Amino acid sequence: RRASRAGRSSRLHVVTREDRVAEFAGLRLLLASLHRFSPDVRVSAYLLSDHIAAEGERLRSIHPAVRLVPMDEVNGWACKPAVLLDALAQETADDTMVLWIDTDILALRDIAALAETPRDLVLVAEESNPNDNSEIARRQAYLGLPAGSARTSTISSAVVGVRHRHRALVEEWRRGV
């Protein structure tokens, strides 16, 4: 069973980003939950260079295997496609899933099985309230939808899993943010 879990773990690469020092508690909790429940899953945290210098030792004490990646040029929510594309560029196996997880999310069990998601699918979260978001009109306009129209569901970018075959989609996302 351990070999099977290790195989799934090697095909999952979790990435996250935090550029707000005031929100580092969330990053620390995410890393602790991943280390507890999915210790064999690769994890990369994209941070400002200054934050790596200031927090790197503490973050590695929470998750010793975390890879700290400097990223100074893209901040805020617009960083998600840039982080995903960078992580995909580091992956050599086509079937590896790169999984973005926001720093305000915790793993409550082993997530290695997410690597078994069918290869043609993009993994996303669903918004809890699809009509309660200040960015809705902007998103709808970008997508060519009538602004203000109600939706029964929307996706959230809090959790996004992609593979090499989804690169063009992520590149389009980056152009749109």
Side-chain angles (χ1 to χ4, degrees):
R1 182 164 196 247
R2 174 87 172 141
S4 172
R5 184 175 139 198
R8 288 192 313 247
S9 296
S10 68
R11 294 192 323 264
L12 185 64
H13 181 181
V14 172
V15 295
T16 193
R17 164 98 167 136
E18 188 53 75
D19 56 12
R20 304 161 297 176
V21 173
E23 304 301 329
F24 263 50
L27 173 61
R28 290 189 289 270
L29 288 169
L30 170 61
L31 292 177
S33 71
L34 289 169
H35 184 59
R36 178 178 177 188
F37 292 107
S38 300
D40 299 323
V41 169
R42 288 174 295 138
V43 179
S44 296
Y46 287 71
L47 307 169
L48 296 172
S49 297
D50 293 348
H51 295 169
I52 291 175
E55 290 284 328
E57 187 174 321
R58 184 172 184 187
L59 296 175
R60 285 190 185 99
S61 74
I62 294 166
H63 194 308
V66 67
R67 182 174 155 252
L68 302 177
V69 183
M71 179 179 269
D72 295 317
E73 63 280 357
V74 183
N75 293 311
W77 56 267
C79 74
K80 293 177 183 185
V83 167
L84 287 166
L85 288 168
D86 184 76
L88 282 171
Q90 308 304 316
E91 294 299 332
T92 55
D94 284 343
D95 66 339
T96 298
M97 174 179 280
V98 175
L99 181 69
W100 169 277
I101 301 179
D102 276 358
T103 59
D104 60 352
I105 293 178
L106 301 175
L108 299 178
R109 62 177 171 222
D110 187 4
I111 64 169
L114 293 175
E116 302 303 319
T117 302
R119 293 179 184 175
D120 58 332
L121 296 182
V122 173
L123 185 84
V124 294
E126 183 178 5
E127 290 280 359
S128 60
N129 184 346
N131 295 301
D132 183 26
N133 185 320
S134 62
E135 296 290 320
I136 287 174
R138 182 175 169 216
R139 289 181 193 169
Q140 288 175 324
Y142 175 74
L143 295 170
L145 301 171
S149 60
R151 292 164 323 275
T152 57
S153 67
T154 60
I155 61 169
S156 167
S157 61
V159 177
V160 178
V162 295
R163 292 186 168 86
H164 282 285
R165 67 180 54 215
H166 307 120
R167 183 174 196 78
L169 175 66
V170 179
E171 288 171 347
E172 183 63 26
W173 178 18
R174 182 175 59 185
R175 283 190 288 279
V177 292

